Amino acid sequence: MRRLTLWIVSTIAAVVLLLSYRTSLGGPAPSAAAGAAAPGIVPAPAPSGGSAPARRAKTVTANGTVARTRWGPVQVQVTITDGKITGARALRHPTGSDRDDEINGYALPRLRAEVLQAQSAHIDAVSGATVTSGGYAESLQSALDAAHFG
């Protein structure tokens, strides 16, 4: 009787795991041609005509590498002005379902706020978006490395 119970519980657990398995709907691995921005420093736009300001802030923008997560690719771009992180945004994030959009709708602004507060890639994961948070931090760190920040 005990073996039968163990077998039934094991079978149910296996079925639950199989039914909860989800693959990325993102398609093939991303490449520059598929919309991934090239990692590294983003060239600054050429200065426009007119009078130059007395002091120009030194701004560097860098793209991180694409972090491949189980739910899809994540890529972050960071902007650093005068040695301070002033911007961070996700260039790529998991998409393809309403659930992805819901999670990223609340997670990405929180991750950006974490970056601006922490001034590093040592950020707290957003509850419910742990995988995306990990990919965000990984890509962010590569962008900071490319910008020689920290």
Side-chain angles (χ1 to χ4, degrees):
M1 184 66 172
R2 187 175 188 142
R3 281 182 116 178
L4 179 61
T5 303
L6 181 61
W7 181 83
I8 291 172
V9 169
S10 297
T11 302
I12 290 172
V15 169
V16 168
L17 287 173
L18 283 173
L19 291 176
S20 66
Y21 180 75
R22 177 182 150 193
T23 61
S24 172
L25 300 174
S31 66
I41 300 295
V42 176
S48 59
S51 62
R55 182 180 105 56
R56 179 169 287 185
K58 182 176 186 318
T59 300
V60 176
T61 301
N63 297 333
T65 57
V66 177
R68 300 186 193 297
T69 73
R70 67 189 258 190
W71 302 131
V74 179
Q75 185 178 26
V76 177
Q77 181 181 77
V78 66
T79 302
I80 301 163
T81 303
D82 289 337
K84 181 178 179 187
I85 298 174
T86 56
R89 69 183 184 110
L91 298 175
R92 300 192 64 179
H93 55 82
T95 60
S97 75
D98 290 341
R99 183 71 177 138
D100 287 335
D101 295 339
E102 177 185 353
I103 289 170
N104 291 309
Y106 74 83
L108 295 176
R110 284 176 175 79
L111 290 167
R112 179 184 183 280
E114 285 279 332
V115 171
L116 296 178
Q117 181 179 0
Q119 290 293 301
S120 74
H122 301 289
I123 57 176
D124 290 333
V126 174
S127 179
T130 307
V131 172
T132 298
S133 296
Y136 192 99
E138 178 185 328
S139 182
L140 173 64
Q141 183 62 61
S142 72
L144 293 173
D145 291 346
H148 305 291
F149 182 81

